[in-house]
Amino acid sequence: MHRRQKQAEQARPRGLLKPWGRLPGRLQLHQVALPTLPVPPLQQTLDRYLLALEPIVSREELSHTQQLVAEFRRPGGVGERLQKGLERRAKKTENWLSDWWLKTAYLEYRLPVVVHSSPGVVLPKQDFLDRQGQLRFAAKLIEGILDFKSMIDNETLPVEYMGGKPLCMNQYYQILSSCRIPGPKRDSIVNYAQGKRQSRHIAVVHNFQFFELDVYNSDGSPLSTEQLFIQLEKIWNTSLQTNKEPIGILTTNHRNSWAKAYNNLLKDRTNKESVRAIESSICTVCLDAPMPRVSHDVYSSRVAAQMLHGGGSHLNSGNRWFDKTLQFIVAEDGSCGLVYEHAPSEGPPIVALLDHVVEFTKKPEQERSALSPLPMPRKLRFNITPEIKKDIEQAKQNLNILVEDLDVKVMVFHHFGKAFPKSEKISPDAFIQLALQLAYYRMYGHSCATYESASLRRFRLGRTDTIRSASAASLRFVQAMDSPGQPNSGSSLCPQEQEKTELLRRAAQAHREYTDMAIQGNAIDRHLLGLKLQAIEDLVSMPELFMDTAYAVAMHFNLSTSQVPARTDCVMCFGPVVPDGYGVCYNPMEHHINFAISAFNSCADTNAARMAHYLEQALLDMRALLQATPRSKL
Ligand code: COA
Ligand code: HC5
């Protein structure tokens, strides 16, 4: 290594992810030019924290928290001390938050990745109905993935922009050839994207049996669709038995249990080699058994659940390695999609890859060239000891309970899409978030702490912050929406309708302002988390502010939501983050909106289909309101 480069390497701050070493030259230049994530001013965050509590806690709780905030913020107090610590950290690191976030939100989170962390994506149903069609589509899909990979490898992936600002591209370099590894207290991520050990194979799984499939020719060119099809057929034909142990089900367990089972599994050399082959693969392709037939109206919800968890140990849940960052799923009945392990990346880079792959699958196949025979893909063998068998049985049981507990409802809202709010000069995202507030309020009679993901990718190594969609303005709007009308005072337009419209517009404006503040790095959630983690790092006693009931209420997100726009007409889904909450993911298209709503059956108070129903009604009522009050009359 060149001396100066070596010095630069050594000077680099240490972190869990060390992307700089991996990024190629041109991108590195792009990355270094990105701004670093700011630490917001302490007083600003505390003021905004109190505002955010207003719609979700009682007056008494709020006044108690006001006192705690006053204590925390006083000159020379603990708040200032922690803030200084954060500012020092920001000077020393590429991004003061990213390693902390990765650990707190993912690697140290102990619940199973299935349902609790890994999102699923349902792609439009394909029109094949048999194995030939399934394998041909899977082959095309793999070719599309390799095409996208070549853009990453050659640095031809265009830099993305949001609101005219260039975005951090680091996540694209973390999604292929990577895998999560369970650990007793904290997991880790391995990445085989570059260097000598760069991956050349994918892992294919069929009937719970894993194979290592080399996807490059000896001259380095990717295999063609035809070649891939032949290789997939070989895999299929050597994995016809359906009585195999679903070894992959181990990855669905609680992380501590899985970490123990992992150690045990890897004691055997054959097992270790097989696990390494899966971990180091570019991605996994799961050739699934068909789902049980269901009626048309529950089909889409059932597929979303399939993508999230595989349907249970008797169906396809063992046909996965859930720690693998990217798993593409192609079932014999034409349903297909993806499940991804969330730690290395947010949804948008994954969806950009999917959009590319889906478009690629629509291209006509290229001219067939003469095919030289390829070696048989390597079957990955596992020796199952009685102890491993016990771990598998335990994992099966836990997974089946989780599968039974998950309630998913997909709703394609087809009355209108982004175009309608735009025509009313309202941000579509704000409109949808307000509809969610209205639906929740109508169901429960109060507002709840609401999380919406905001991208921090304007900053180097940025991930997300939280848009708190429940605001004083949203509460005023939802309360007004169903209050009994005043008698019409003779004008053609009921004055109350006008007032509601104004409240809707103001609340939408407030949401848009919060969004802008969040994507500029000035939201409150990650800052508060940073102050709390700084307190832990400095070994000062935990400030009372973080042990307060109101803080717990604010962090208990009964509505956990995310907008993930895609060019493909796909449905994206994830689980709730609290036992009595909803997960709501939406993909707003121009003339319709795809929603997936999740809840837990074990909670008597939540119901995904009911929420979907109220959401549909809320969206329709809001449109009717706006249409009844033309803007010119306001
Ligand atoms: N009048 C007319 N049009 C408007 C408008 C208004 N008042 N406000 C916004 N629009 C338009 C926008 O120009 C945009 O147009 P386009 O469809 O041509 O691009 C469109 O409406 C959508 O804008 P909006 O609904 O306001 O949302 P957004 O695209 O700005 O997205 C977030 C908001 C929060 C989703 C986005 O900032 C973000 O952070 N995305 C990443 C989230 C994420 O990472 N999710 C996954 C986590 S894993
Ligand atoms: C394919 C869609 C994936 C969306 C996943 C997502 O939104 O994850 C959120 C990430 C974040 O940091 O906000 C977390 N959330 C699912 C809990 C909203």
Side-chain angles (χ1 to χ4, degrees), residues 101 106 119 121 342 346-347 451 453 464 560-562 564 572 574 577:
W101 180 245
Y106 300 106
V121 182
H342 208 326
E346 307 310 339
Y451 179 113
S453 308
T464 60
S560 165
T561 78
S562 185
V564 189
M572 289 160 272
F574 48 76
V577 295

Side-chain angles (χ1 to χ4, degrees), residues 146-158 173 356:
L146 297 178
D147 191 60
F148 193 85
K149 183 175 182 300
S150 73
M151 289 202 290
I152 295 180
D153 294 344
N154 311 332
E155 283 188 59
T156 45
L157 193 68
Y173 294 82
H356 181 88

Side-chain angles (χ1 to χ4, degrees), residues 106 119 162 340 342 345-348 418 421-430 452-457 463-464 467 509 511-512 515-516 519 562-565 586 590:
Y106 300 106
M162 195 166 78
Y340 90 89
H342 208 326
S345 171
E346 307 310 339
K418 279 197 286 194
K422 278 192 203 172
S423 72
E424 288 286 337
K425 299 271 178 286
I426 294 177
S427 144
D429 187 65
E452 185 195 356
S453 308
S455 175
L456 286 180
R457 283 178 57 210
R463 298 286 305 249
T464 60
I467 302 166
Q509 189 55 33
H511 186 83
R512 189 61 238 181
T515 300
D516 288 334
I519 61 181
S562 185
Q563 177 192 147
V564 189
Y586 52 97
E590 218 45 39

Side-chain angles (χ1 to χ4, degrees), residues 58-342:
S58 69
R59 233 174 249 182
E60 298 76 57
E61 275 169 335
L62 186 60
S63 80
H64 177 66
T65 306
Q66 278 163 343
Q67 287 167 28
L68 298 183
V69 165
E71 169 59 28
F72 186 78
R73 74 184 339 164
R74 74 181 160 73
V78 66
E80 274 190 4
R81 184 170 147 199
L82 298 175
Q83 175 77 2
K84 288 212 177 81
L86 279 189
E87 285 162 1
R88 272 195 303 276
R89 184 178 166 92
K91 284 207 185 92
K92 284 192 305 213
T93 49
E94 297 280 354
N95 181 315
W96 64 265
L97 175 64
S98 54
D99 277 358
W100 265 349
W101 180 245
L102 183 66
K103 278 193 243 170
T104 319
Y106 300 106
L107 303 181
E108 290 175 359
Y109 188 66
R110 302 285 81 194
L111 288 183
V113 289
V114 181
V115 174
H116 296 292
S117 180
S118 299
V121 182
V122 184
L123 290 176
K125 192 169 190 306
Q126 300 299 312
D127 59 5
F128 58 79
L129 284 166
D130 59 8
R131 174 169 67 98
Q132 284 277 324
Q134 179 187 16
L135 298 188
R136 199 151 281 285
F137 180 74
K140 196 86 203 188
L141 195 100
I142 297 167
E143 211 190 343
I145 299 165
L146 297 178
D147 191 60
F148 193 85
K149 183 175 182 300
S150 73
M151 289 202 290
I152 295 180
D153 294 344
N154 311 332
E155 283 188 59
T156 45
L157 193 68
V159 166
E160 288 174 311
Y161 285 79
M162 195 166 78
K165 297 274 197 314
L167 299 184
C168 173
M169 298 296 285
N170 178 56
Q171 289 171 29
Y172 282 98
Y173 294 82
Q174 317 296 337
I175 57 183
L176 291 172
S177 315
S178 64
C179 194
R180 182 162 165 161
I181 313 282
K185 288 207 174 88
R186 180 197 296 168
D187 296 355
S188 54
I189 303 171
V190 284
N191 188 297
Y192 295 81
Q194 282 189 1
K196 277 201 197 115
R197 354 176 256 178
Q198 195 171 351
S199 323
R200 295 171 51 87
H201 67 279
I202 62 166
V204 178
V205 49
H206 175 236
N207 279 337
F208 308 158
Q209 297 155 67
F210 287 85
F211 291 82
E212 175 179 328
L213 168 57
D214 197 334
V215 286
Y216 290 97
N217 287 303
S218 47
D219 64 357
S221 61
L223 299 193
S224 64
T225 309
E226 193 58 28
Q227 286 177 307
L228 287 163
F229 175 75
I230 293 169
Q231 295 298 76
L232 291 177
E233 251 194 339
K234 289 183 198 162
I235 289 177
W236 182 283
N237 289 331
T238 39
S239 52
L240 294 171
Q241 312 98 306
T242 52
N243 58 347
K244 295 289 173 185
E245 284 297 340
I247 188 85
I249 208 107
L250 290 172
T251 62
T252 67
N253 219 343
H254 187 280
R255 303 307 296 176
N256 289 348
S257 318
W258 170 213
K260 269 195 211 140
Y262 182 86
N263 266 339
N264 186 31
L265 181 70
L266 265 62
K267 279 182 196 151
D268 176 284
R269 228 179 107 181
T270 305
N271 293 350
K272 189 170 180 169
E273 271 180 28
S274 296
V275 169
R276 290 286 180 263
I278 299 171
E279 290 171 347
S280 62
S281 63
I282 295 166
C283 64
T284 310
V285 171
C286 311
L287 301 173
D288 270 17
M291 291 184 345
R293 282 188 181 274
V294 287
S295 65
H296 182 70
D297 45 325
V298 294
Y299 175 80
S300 55
S301 303
R302 202 55 82 79
V303 184
Q306 276 284 325
M307 295 308 151
L308 278 177
H309 55 52
S313 63
H314 56 296
L315 290 174
N316 292 299
S317 303
N319 218 42
R320 308 273 184 277
W321 193 265
F322 281 99
D323 287 355
K324 193 69 200 152
T325 309
L326 280 181
Q327 300 204 83
F328 293 84
I329 298 158
V330 184
E332 211 174 314
D333 56 9
S335 50
C336 56
L338 165 134
V339 58
Y340 90 89
E341 199 294 296
H342 208 326

